[in-house]
Amino acid sequence: MGHPLRPGNTQDHHPRRPHPLSARLPRFDETVQYDVIRDCLMPEEQIDGVYSSESAGIALCGITNRRVILLDTAFPGGRAALITAPYSRITTVSYVSSEDEPIFSRTVAIQVGRTFYEVTCRGEEQAAEIHDLITWHLID
């Protein structure tokens, strides 16, 4: 439970938390992938990171200040889909691991509505960046 506000005091005086990776943004693996995400930006939208995925299906995960963009290469009919998930539609972000893996694995699941999208990163550090960037936007 949060602290009650004093009568007449409706403003939150807590300073905004700094972005977890602000000194290192934007992050990306390959320029071509960065360009894919950059080319679909809306006005005033900024890229936080673009990450390759080794998952079957999701090939790319782009994180901006407004949404998560996923490239699904296993879309039905042999097609690819560029999926936009605004933060208001993302309900959870989690690490996914098997019994023999550490809980902070290299796979992150992003739940949009009832659908889960898995992003398997090249390493645990990239998975942590994706998890932390999305979490920061969800709870900020």
Side-chain angles (χ1 to χ4, degrees):
M1 180 168 184
H3 297 286
L5 293 175
R6 293 182 184 154
N9 186 3
T10 59
Q11 293 182 349
D12 186 1
H13 294 291
H14 295 285
R16 183 179 164 110
R17 290 172 302 134
H19 197 285
L21 301 170
S22 59
R24 303 183 299 170
L25 295 179
R27 305 273 293 173
F28 60 94
D29 295 330
E30 298 175 21
T31 304
V32 171
Q33 294 172 338
Y34 179 85
D35 292 344
V36 167
I37 301 301
R38 184 200 63 216
D39 290 346
C40 65
L41 293 180
M42 304 299 280
E44 299 182 26
E45 190 172 18
Q46 300 168 350
I47 296 174
D48 291 341
V50 179
Y51 301 89
S52 297
S53 175
E54 298 175 353
S55 303
I58 301 299
L60 181 63
C61 176
I63 300 172
T64 76
N65 59 325
R66 295 186 172 186
R67 60 187 164 146
V68 174
I69 303 167
L70 302 164
L71 178 60
D72 184 349
T73 56
F75 206 71
R79 299 173 294 164
L82 198 58
I83 300 165
T84 289
Y87 291 111
S88 62
R89 301 283 190 242
I90 297 174
T91 52
T92 63
V93 60
S94 56
Y95 289 101
V96 178
S97 61
S98 61
E99 229 176 81
D100 57 338
E101 291 180 314
I103 192 66
F104 299 106
S105 68
R106 35 184 225 115
T107 301
V108 175
I110 304 163
Q111 184 179 5
V112 182
R114 294 182 180 181
T115 305
F116 284 90
Y117 298 98
E118 285 190 22
V119 178
T120 301
C121 301
R122 293 180 178 167
E124 292 171 6
E125 182 179 321
Q126 283 186 346
E129 285 182 14
I130 290 173
H131 182 274
D132 292 352
L133 283 169
I134 295 172
T135 300
W136 186 81
H137 285 290
L138 291 179
I139 64 175
D140 187 46

